[in-house]
C-alpha cells in the first residue's frame, strides 16, 4: 500500500491492513495484536500454543475487531512458511509483520552457557526473524509496500553479566532491521526495531521478580518504574501506520529513560 494512499486515511488508521504478530499470546505481543486490531487491522495472532492465541482472538473479536489464531514454532522454517501461507489464504495480503517471539533459556555468565542454549537463543531470536522477514518482504513488494517491526531490547545496546548472548541476539536484530531497510526500501518496505527496557511480562519475570534487580533498575530509570506491555504497543501502531511512513532502519527505545544517562541519584 503506497504511503500517499495510507496518509489519506488518517495517520493511525490501519483499516484494510493485515498484520501478522508472532509471540502474540501474552505480554508485549498480545498488547500489540490488540492495539493493531483496535486501529482497524486484521490480525493473525501467532504463538506456539493455539489455545492461548485463541483467547487473544476472542478478546479482539469481542471488541469488534477481526483476528485469527495460528500456532507456530518460530524455530521451524516450515511452520513460519505455513504462517505466511495461511495469512495470505485468509486475507490475501500482509501489510505489517511484527517479529516479537523470542527465547532466553539461560540466565548467567556467558562462559557457562551450554552450546545448546546458545544455539537456541541465536536461532530463535535472529535466524527465525531473518527467515520470516525474507518470506514476507517479497509479498510486500508485490503489494507496493509494508512495515516490518522487530521487537529487540535495550540489551542490544549494553553488555550483561547474566544475559550476554540474549543481548548479542538483540543487537543482531537491530542490524537485521537496518539491512532490511536498505535492501527493501526502494519497494516502500520499511523495517524498524523497538527496544523495550524492563517490561512486566512473564518473559522477563526473572528480572522484575528479583527484588535486587528490580530495585537497581528502578533506581537507574528516570521514570522510577518498569514498563507495562501496553506501553510498547503504541510504537508498533505508529510504525505500522501512515504516521511512520518515513521511518525506516531505526530502533525506537522505550525504557522509561533507562539508557538516557545516569539517574538523578547517581
Amino acid at each position: 500500500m503506497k504511503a500517499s494512499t495510507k496518509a489519506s486515511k488518517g495517520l493511525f488508521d490501519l483499516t484494510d491492513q493485515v498484520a501478522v504478530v508472532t509471540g502474540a499470546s501474552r505480554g508485549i505481543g498480545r498488547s500489540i495484536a490488540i492495539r493493531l486490531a483496535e486501529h482497524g487491522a486484521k490480525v493473525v495472532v501467532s504463538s506456539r500454543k493455539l489455545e492461548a492465541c485463541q483467547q487473544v482472538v476472542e478478546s479482539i473479536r469481542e471488541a469488534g475487531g477481526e483476528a485469527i489464531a495460528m500456532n507456530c514454532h518460530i524455530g521451524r522454517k516450515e511452520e513460519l512458511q505455513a504462517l505466511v501461507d495461511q495469512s495470505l489464504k485468509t486475507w490475501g495480503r500482509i501489510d505489517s509483520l511484527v517479529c516479537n517471539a523470542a527465547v532466553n533459556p539461560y540466565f548467567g555468565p556467558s562462559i557457562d552457557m551450554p552450546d545448546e542454549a546458545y544455539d537456541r537463543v541465536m536461532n530463535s531470536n535472529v535466524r527465525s526473524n531473518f527467515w520470516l522477514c525474507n518470506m514476507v518482504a517479497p509479498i510486500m513488494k508485490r503489494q507496493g509496500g509494508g512495515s516490518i517491526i522487530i521487537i529487540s531490547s535495550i540489551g542490544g545496546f549494553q553488555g550483561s553479566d547474566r544475559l550476554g548472548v540474549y543481548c548479542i541476539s538483540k543487537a543482531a536484530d537491530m542490524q537485521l532491521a537496518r539491512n532490511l531497510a536498505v535492501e527493501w526500501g526502494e519497494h516502500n518496505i520499511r523495517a524498524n526495531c523497538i527496544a523495550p527496557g524492563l517490561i512486566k511480562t512473564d518473559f522477563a519475570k526473572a528480572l522484575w521478580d528479583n527484588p535486587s534487580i528490580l530495585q537497581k533498575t528502578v533506581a537507574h530509570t528516570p521514570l522510577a518504574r518498569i514498563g507495562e506491555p501496553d506501553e510498547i504497543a503504541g510504537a508498533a501502531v505508529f510504525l505500522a501506520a501512515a504516521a511512520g511512513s518515513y521511518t525506516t532502519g531505526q530502533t525506537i527505545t522505550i525504557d522509561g529513560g533507562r539508557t538516557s544517562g545516569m539517574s538523578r541519584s547517581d
Side-chain angles (χ1 to χ4, degrees), residues 15-55:
T15 303
D16 298 329
Q17 288 201 33
V18 175
V20 176
V21 185
T22 67
S25 62
R26 60 181 182 170
I28 291 172
R30 182 181 186 276
S31 289
I32 289 175
I34 288 173
R35 292 303 185 181
L36 290 174
E38 185 179 87
H39 284 263
K42 301 177 179 68
V43 182
V44 181
V45 177
S46 172
S47 79
R48 286 183 299 170
K49 298 180 179 179
L50 184 61
E51 184 178 349
C53 291
Q54 193 59 50
Q55 291 175 0

Side-chain angles (χ1 to χ4, degrees), residues 66-160:
E66 294 184 65
I68 61 169
M70 188 168 179
N71 63 307
C72 176
H73 189 301
I74 60 169
R76 298 170 183 162
K77 194 172 188 178
E78 67 277 10
E79 292 193 21
L80 291 173
Q81 188 62 61
L83 173 63
V84 173
D85 293 344
Q86 185 59 49
S87 301
L88 287 177
K89 182 178 179 180
T90 302
W91 282 312
R93 61 187 299 116
I94 298 174
D95 298 280
S96 296
L97 170 64
V98 182
C99 298
N100 170 70
V103 302
N104 183 45
Y106 177 76
F107 187 73
S110 296
I111 195 170
D112 296 326
M113 188 176 197
D115 289 346
E116 181 180 298
Y118 175 92
D119 288 342
R120 188 178 172 203
V121 169
M122 297 303 290
N123 290 344
S124 296
N125 297 3
V126 184
R127 188 179 68 175
S128 68
N129 291 340
F130 178 80
W131 280 342
L132 187 54
C133 292
N134 282 324
M135 291 173 186
V136 171
I139 296 167
M140 292 179 171
K141 177 183 175 181
R142 293 196 298 269
Q143 295 169 179
S147 174
I148 294 171
I149 303 165
I150 301 172
I151 306 303
S152 181
S153 166
I154 61 168
F157 297 121
Q158 304 169 323
S160 172

Side-chain angles (χ1 to χ4, degrees), residues 153-159 167 170-171 174 178 195 251-253 255 259:
S153 166
I154 61 168
F157 297 121
Q158 304 169 323
C167 292
K170 291 305 181 177
M174 296 178 191
R178 287 189 285 265
T251 297
I252 297 176
T253 302
D255 67 349
T259 56

Side-chain angles (χ1 to χ4, degrees), residues 139-203:
I139 296 167
M140 292 179 171
K141 177 183 175 181
R142 293 196 298 269
Q143 295 169 179
S147 174
I148 294 171
I149 303 165
I150 301 172
I151 306 303
S152 181
S153 166
I154 61 168
F157 297 121
Q158 304 169 323
S160 172
D161 59 355
R162 283 164 286 194
L163 294 168
V165 174
Y166 176 79
C167 292
I168 292 169
S169 75
K170 291 305 181 177
D173 280 335
M174 296 178 191
Q175 183 59 30
L176 175 58
R178 287 189 285 265
N179 260 65
L180 289 166
V182 171
E183 293 185 16
W184 295 95
E186 65 179 309
H187 304 296
N188 195 34
I189 298 170
R190 297 174 290 109
N192 296 281
C193 273
I194 298 172
L198 182 55
I199 306 298
K200 194 171 185 180
T201 64
D202 289 342
F203 182 83

